[in-house]
């Protein structure tokens, strides 16, 4: 898709990070928060496609287990719509290092990123920080991210998904991103398309 064919919507792109089968194979996988995450991400994906806003998929390839290419699990979860505008594969926690994502976005005139995916505090947060540092405006779409409870190594305290999301929002807000809901992003897309 050329920059011209994207029209006014080239200024934004939906970045969908690590929504991949690999996570279903991990011992911490839980479907507790999956329905809300799925609904939020699908609503945003559908709206972006309807407005010709580029949809970018990024998948993580690791060195062991279900994140290796050989595992066959480095592929979209079965409910994620196919045919994104472009797909990148990463080997780090951010979607920019050695992937070609930055070059693709700049060639397509993208200035604002909507960050979504798995895991909130890991690859989504790291991509947000790097994206902001290299000059993008970033909407961190917290309700379209997914994470799982974590146990603190020293204290043994279990942090819920909600607590992890709240902390991520706290450290990103105003410094690296606008914390945005799906509704916020839809309203912004509508305003930019007008």
């Amino acid at each position: 898709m050329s920059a011209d064919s994207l029209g006014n919507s080239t200024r934004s792109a939906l970045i969908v990070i690590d929504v991949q089968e690999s996570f279903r194979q991990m011992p911490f996988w839980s479907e507790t928060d999956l329905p809300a995450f799925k609904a939020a991400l699908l609503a945003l994906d559908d709206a972006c496609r309807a407005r010709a806003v580029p949809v970018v998929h990024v998948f993580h390839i690791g060195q062991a287990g279900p994140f290796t290419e050989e595992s066959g699990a480095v592929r979209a979860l079965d409910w994620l719509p196919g045919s994104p505008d472009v797909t990148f594969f990463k080997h780090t926690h951010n979607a920019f290092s050695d992937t070609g994502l930055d070059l693709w976005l700049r060639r397509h005139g993208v200035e604002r990123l909507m960050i979504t995916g798995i895991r909130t505090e890991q690859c989504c947060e790291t991509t947000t920080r790097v994206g902001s540092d290299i000059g993008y405006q970033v909407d961190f779409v917290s309700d379209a991210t997914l994470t799982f409870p974590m146990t603190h190594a020293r204290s043994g305290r279990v942090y819920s998904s909600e607590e992890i999301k709240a902390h991520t929002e706290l450290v990103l807000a105003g410094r690296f991103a606008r914390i945005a809901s799906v509704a916020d992003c839809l309203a912004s897309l509508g305003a930019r398309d007008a």
Side-chain angles (χ1 to χ4, degrees):
M1 183 178 289
S2 72
D4 291 339
S5 70
L6 292 172
N8 292 333
S9 58
T10 60
R11 298 179 65 85
S12 296
L14 176 62
I15 312 297
V16 182
I17 301 171
D18 298 349
V19 181
Q20 64 191 72
E21 185 64 32
S22 309
F23 278 108
R24 284 163 110 53
Q25 316 303 316
M26 299 303 290
F28 54 77
W29 175 260
S30 167
E31 300 210 356
T32 302
D33 298 329
L34 185 62
F37 164 67
K38 180 178 173 182
L41 182 54
L42 290 177
L44 192 52
D45 182 276
D46 185 56
C48 286
R49 289 173 191 259
R51 291 169 174 83
V53 172
V55 176
V56 178
H57 287 182
V58 181
F59 297 107
H60 188 82
I61 297 176
Q63 296 181 353
F67 288 91
T68 63
E69 289 181 90
E70 297 77 23
S71 73
V74 180
R75 57 185 166 79
L77 290 173
D78 58 10
W79 52 263
L80 186 67
S83 303
D85 290 279
V86 66
T87 300
F88 294 98
F89 295 90
K90 64 183 180 63
H91 298 87
T92 63
H93 290 106
N94 79 82
F96 289 101
S97 295
D98 299 324
T99 63
L101 174 61
D102 182 42
L103 180 60
W104 189 92
L105 293 170
R106 294 188 192 281
R107 283 184 174 168
H108 289 84
V110 173
E111 296 176 356
R112 177 175 292 278
L113 310 178
M114 293 173 281
I115 302 293
T116 67
I118 306 174
R119 297 175 62 170
T120 306
E121 78 293 349
Q122 193 162 304
C123 297
C124 295
E125 180 179 340
T126 307
T127 298
T128 296
R129 290 173 180 267
V130 173
S132 174
D133 279 353
I134 62 176
Y136 292 97
Q137 298 171 41
V138 183
D139 286 340
F140 188 83
V141 193
S142 196
D143 53 346
T145 69
L146 180 69
T147 196
F148 312 96
M150 296 175 68
T151 303
H152 192 284
R154 287 187 293 168
S155 71
R157 178 182 169 194
V158 177
Y159 288 81
S160 70
S161 298
E162 294 78 18
E163 290 173 312
I164 294 167
K165 281 190 171 193
H167 180 267
T168 301
E169 291 174 358
L170 172 68
V171 298
L172 292 178
R175 291 183 280 177
F176 298 97
R178 173 181 83 140
I179 305 304
S181 66
V182 169
D184 294 332
C185 289
L186 296 180
S188 293
L189 287 173
R192 284 194 287 272
D193 287 343

